[in-house]
Amino acid sequence: MESHLEKQNGDVLQKSFKEMISTLPKKSCWGLPEDQYQYQSFWFSPSFLQGALSAQQQFQAQPTDIILCSFPRTGTAWLKSLTFATITRTSYNHSTTPLLSKMPHDVVPYMEFDHA
């Protein structure tokens, strides 16, 4: 459970991210409903960029962490399913795996969205 101080620090970070994002180049791209912002030579939606900035600022990798990286629409769900099944192969069998009732993105979440 998040403490009052952690929530306050998180609110301050989010406000600073929003202020920083407002200074970036922006344009309406690819028919998307919201403007896209250019950051480090890439175009991001504001919510995704805010999550990416938060992840960059707060994420501390652990020796047991596994980070999957893929471009959108290149089989990310498949990659997440295979990775989860491989890592948890001794914890679940074919009839008890969470992948039977949950989407791969639910068992292996996006780092950027979790921090948004």
Side-chain angles (χ1 to χ4, degrees):
M1 189 164 152
E2 190 175 50
S3 73
H4 176 69
L5 185 57
E6 288 172 328
K7 182 173 177 5
Q8 190 175 10
N9 288 342
D11 291 344
V12 169
L13 269 177
Q14 295 304 320
K15 184 178 178 187
S16 70
F17 292 152
K18 285 180 182 178
E19 289 172 2
M20 191 274 287
I21 290 170
S22 71
T23 67
L24 297 173
K26 72 175 180 177
K27 67 166 63 170
S28 179
C29 298
W30 308 297
L32 296 171
E34 57 187 352
D35 287 336
Q36 302 295 296
Y37 292 83
Q38 188 178 26
Y39 177 70
Q40 296 182 343
S41 302
F42 293 94
W43 292 94
F44 297 90
S45 67
S47 58
F48 189 82
L49 179 54
Q50 199 166 337
L53 291 170
S54 182
Q56 283 180 342
Q57 181 106 23
Q58 297 175 342
F59 177 73
Q60 292 293 315
Q62 301 299 311
T64 57
D65 287 343
I66 297 172
I67 298 175
L68 298 174
C69 301
S70 65
F71 286 105
R73 311 295 307 158
T74 60
T76 304
W78 214 191
L79 179 62
K80 286 182 172 192
S81 295
L82 291 169
T83 303
F84 180 82
T86 302
I87 291 171
T88 63
R89 68 184 175 276
T90 59
S91 302
Y92 303 107
N93 64 39
H94 297 299
S95 62
T96 61
T97 179
L99 291 171
L100 292 173
S101 59
K102 295 182 179 182
M103 298 296 293
H105 302 301
D106 294 332
V107 296
V108 181
Y110 287 99
M111 184 184 311
E112 298 88 344
F113 293 140
D114 286 353
H115 285 276

